[in-house]
Amino acid sequence: MSTENFQFTLKKTDGGARLGKVSMPRGTIRTPAFMPVGTVGTVKAMYLDQVKDTGADIILGNTYHLMLRPGAERVARLGGLHKLIRWEHPILTDSGGFQVMSLSGLRKLDEKGVTFKSHIDGSLHHMSPERSIEIQGLLGSDIQMQLDECVALPAEPKEIERAMELSLRWAERCRVAFGEQPGKAMFGIVQGGDQPALRIRSAEGLKQLDLKGYAVGGLAVGEPQDVMLSMLDTTLPVLPTEKPRYLMGVGTPDDMLKSVARGIDMFDCVMPTRSGRHGLAFTRRGKVNLRNARHAEDMRPLDEESSCPAARDYSRAYLHHLCRADEALGGMLLSWNNLHYYQDLMKGIRQAIAEGRFADFYAETQEAWAKGDI
Ligand SMILES: Nc1nc2c(CCNCC3CCCC3)c3[nH]c(NCCc4ccccc4)nc3cc2c(=O)[nH]1
């Protein structure tokens, strides 16, 4: 069922966990949701209909990469990202600021925006909050993120405060640049590092901007998990309950379970795809590093009960061989397994909340991971 507007529906809560859905013209996102990362217009080593079949309702596009190659105006001339990559469901794009900090030689960051050199050809680029929103519009993005400054932790409180206040000013400029686009949404991003008072100020500031959703940023940047979770305990009660909450860049299955328990609705992470390409498999009973010699003659599949062919039909011995030989099929099968497991986990979470047994699901899942009889 699609609507002409962006509409979040909170269907049920179970403790701090929330069951909901985001309805958009291009489709509905069942929450809690895991959003696979499609960096340069592709979820690496996967076909997009395969990504859909794992259970994904939405994927992420990478503004930073796409603006450098093939270029935002070129993607628009080609009919937009959905048409180009043949994914007609929702796409969320990050604003590019985080990727500039982590990928390119950041040249300058000031009130106007960020100036950086392309990691592809060294060309110089300037991105203002307005340009970031313009680029995301040219790509055809359904959910657009504000331009923000994410500070790596640990950091001085003064530095965290400066970046948080700059990000608030940029949020307002992005909100103005975005205007009114009924079937689309712009999310603000809560910053404030590991400083509770700054987190609260950031969330309160964003609430003045009539946003359709709120991301929690500035986390999963080197802090311990308990610090990340305590920042959620501080931030989430301040955010409106009738709008979706997106925890950026998170995370491991354990991170997501604990974050759902605190009220997060949406996640994205390169972990399942990137680690899959490096031989790491996520399963119901924990992680398996297929490069390890102990799998060389193990004819068992990763998980005989999985509905994913990569988990059910291929032996660990073969997966081990492919990974050791650095064969493309190794990364393809493990990416498929990992994305399917991440979606199965979210599906299990959604069902548990619907039945009011999230606490039991949480305990059972962690126990299965800990057993390690994999
Ligand atoms: N705008 C913005 N983006 C952030 C991101 C990028 C989220 N993925 C975007 C996709 C869109 C395209 C590419 C990615 C983050 N990612 C992480 N941690 C990732 C940690 C990690 C790193 C490597 C492997 C696994 C986990 N923290 C993040 C904080 C912010 C933030 O404050 N602001």
Side-chain angles (χ1 to χ4, degrees), residues 11 35 39-41 52 93 133 141 146 172-173 187-188 234 239 257 266 277 296 353 362 368:
K11 294 160 81 169
M35 307 183 286
T39 300
V40 273
K52 187 79 178 91
T93 48
I133 294 296
S141 171
Q146 70 156 95
E172 188 160 9
R173 287 170 55 183
F187 283 16
T234 301
L239 295 178
L257 208 50
M266 298 161 74
R277 294 195 304 279
I353 299 170
Y362 182 109

Side-chain angles (χ1 to χ4, degrees), residues 37 60-62 94-95 98-99 148 150 189 191 217-221 246 248-249 268-271 274:
V37 171
L60 264 64
N62 189 327
D94 199 356
S95 48
F98 183 84
Q99 290 77 35
D148 61 330
C150 171
I189 304 176
Q191 291 293 347
L219 294 174
V221 287
Y246 161 28
M248 304 190 84
D268 91 275
C269 193
V270 296
M271 180 84 77
R274 183 176 297 178

